Amino acid sequence: MHDLDLLENTDTVNELLARYGVKFGIYKNNTFKEQLFPFDAIPRVIEKDEFAYLEKGLKQRVLALNLFLKDIYSEKKIVKDGVVPEDFIFASSGYMAECEGVCPSKDIYSHISGIDLVQGKDKQWYILEDNLRVPSGASYPMIARELCRRSSPSTFSHTKLEDNRNYSKLLKRTMDHVNTGGLTVILTPGRYNAAYFEHSYLAEKTGANLVTGSELTVKDDKLYYIKYNGELERVGAVYRRISDEYLDPMNFNPDSLIGIPHIYEVFKKGNVALLNAPGNGVADDKGIYYFVPKMIKYYLGEEPILNNAPTYLPFYEEDMKYVLEHFDQLVLKDVAEAGGYGVVFGSSMTSEQKENFIALLKREPRRFIAQEVIDFLDIDILEGNEMVPRKADLRAFVLMADEPLVWKSGLTRFSRNPDSFIVNSSQGGGFKDTWVLSQ
């Protein structure tokens, strides 16, 4: 489904994206560099029935992850019953002891989950990772679709596909569901954050106030927005786009200049909702990822609908043995890294690098997972005037309101390097729109 009119407008759409400031920023060598996120006009097309299958599997997964978070910060039954070893909870960089016994509004921990999937050449979908902290990326296909509609209206008048403009409605429904009474705000670290475009775009689309930490204050165990005239207005929900550790200098990192002192006490008392809840990092640790299929069986009594990529934990003796014997066929991932960092392919190492890595693996087995390299399905992209195949993944967005909601769209990221499996924007990838057919 390569619509000629749409393809001819690729440059126009990219120019408009640049004009609207659709960029992402990266810090490299202590400098902040902003760059455009290149858009490719050939959409990824997913049939209606296939997406219905994905939707079912994604809802199941996010329900289980939410139940896991609730359990881990309260009774820890899954640990007591020997399903997940203790080492994988308390040694996780995402586990926060401060969250013990704290229950968020409506018992929801991950309100916005970004689940990364790839489709193999066997046409099977595999989950690569779960992002439950501050997942970003929904704004890019939203605005790209808007600009494509504008530059090529005929394409959309004769194609039956799901309208992706409803993400803001789903997000508003999610924020309103947990709001404890008052304004809804989107908390941004500010102009120099990598995803600042997204923060401002989602605020505009949902009608939420875009604020920085200096515009919020705590008084009498409640959170307030400081209006332009100095008046205070109660805040009931904060969609925060800053990391846990910077959220509250009184409870977490004392050096944080972008957080709100005492906001965590307000949250603990149930007087404000924080989306996503602090402490979620324990559930999207790459070591915990291995246990998600077991969580689905444990909490829901169901077989997982969507598969993990085949994964090994060197923490277990038999898995370590397998990893050492098949080192060249595997990809090794540092469990605490994200954005395509900390990922190494056994086959691309020199014998000296291999030797050093294996020594590190034996010293710190909890630090790494190993996965089979999935042969991704290639997707066409436009390079100059020709179509070339490239590796791509899909970030699906699952929102948790009164029920789990799967956005019928998503962020398809692709590698611009023909030899690379790493598609992250921070590693130079581009993005496409994801069309979910409606019939």
Side-chain angles (χ1 to χ4, degrees), residues 2 7 90 94 110 395 416:
H2 299 155
L7 300 194
F90 306 119
S110 189
R395 174 164 291 181
R416 288 193 292 165

Side-chain angles (χ1 to χ4, degrees), residues 304-315:
I305 294 164
L306 293 168
N307 297 314
N308 275 8
T311 304
Y312 307 94
L313 287 189
F315 173 83

Side-chain angles (χ1 to χ4, degrees), residues 219-397:
K219 192 178 170 194
D220 303 328
D221 289 331
K222 291 188 177 66
L223 184 68
Y224 292 92
Y225 168 56
I226 307 164
K227 291 163 77 169
Y228 68 95
N229 58 4
E231 279 178 24
L232 300 182
E233 191 169 350
R234 173 90 190 269
V235 174
V238 179
Y239 176 17
R240 47 98 181 200
R241 298 300 297 254
I242 70 178
S243 301
D244 288 357
E245 60 271 33
Y246 299 112
L247 192 56
D248 182 343
M250 311 308 285
N251 284 279
F252 306 124
N253 185 340
D255 298 330
S256 172
L257 300 175
I258 55 176
I260 303 105
H262 304 292
I263 189 175
Y264 193 60
E265 279 107 89
V266 180
F267 170 69
K268 281 203 287 195
K269 289 196 162 85
N271 292 340
V272 74
L274 295 177
L275 300 86
N276 284 336
N280 277 8
V282 68
D284 68 13
D285 177 305
K286 288 183 178 70
I288 289 291
Y289 158 92
Y290 175 90
F291 297 98
V292 179
K294 294 176 193 283
M295 282 176 209
I296 292 168
K297 290 178 194 170
Y298 182 79
Y299 294 115
L300 305 176
E302 298 168 3
E303 285 300 314
I305 294 164
L306 293 168
N307 297 314
N308 275 8
T311 304
Y312 307 94
L313 287 189
F315 173 83
Y316 290 126
E317 209 175 307
E318 62 189 280
D319 282 20
M320 174 70 91
K321 188 169 180 283
Y322 182 90
V323 170
L324 297 178
E325 284 169 5
H326 299 85
F327 196 81
D328 287 0
Q329 291 120 61
L330 299 170
V331 54
L332 290 301
K333 296 180 178 180
D334 188 320
V335 299
E337 293 278 7
Y341 295 99
V343 176
V344 287
F345 290 82
S347 56
S348 63
M349 291 188 202
T350 64
S351 52
E352 189 187 344
Q353 286 171 330
K354 209 173 290 187
E355 209 175 294
N356 292 339
F357 192 92
I358 287 170
L360 174 63
L361 190 62
K362 286 177 173 171
R363 269 199 319 275
E364 300 181 49
R366 164 66 178 88
R367 186 175 156 188
F368 298 94
I369 63 167
Q371 289 179 328
E372 302 284 353
V373 179
I374 291 174
D375 200 1
F376 293 29
L377 200 63
D378 289 311
I379 287 186
D380 283 342
I381 71 160
L382 210 56
E383 208 168 71
N385 290 323
E386 60 176 314
M387 277 189 248
V388 294
R390 291 289 181 268
K391 302 297 177 201
D393 77 350
L394 170 67
R395 174 164 291 181
F397 290 88

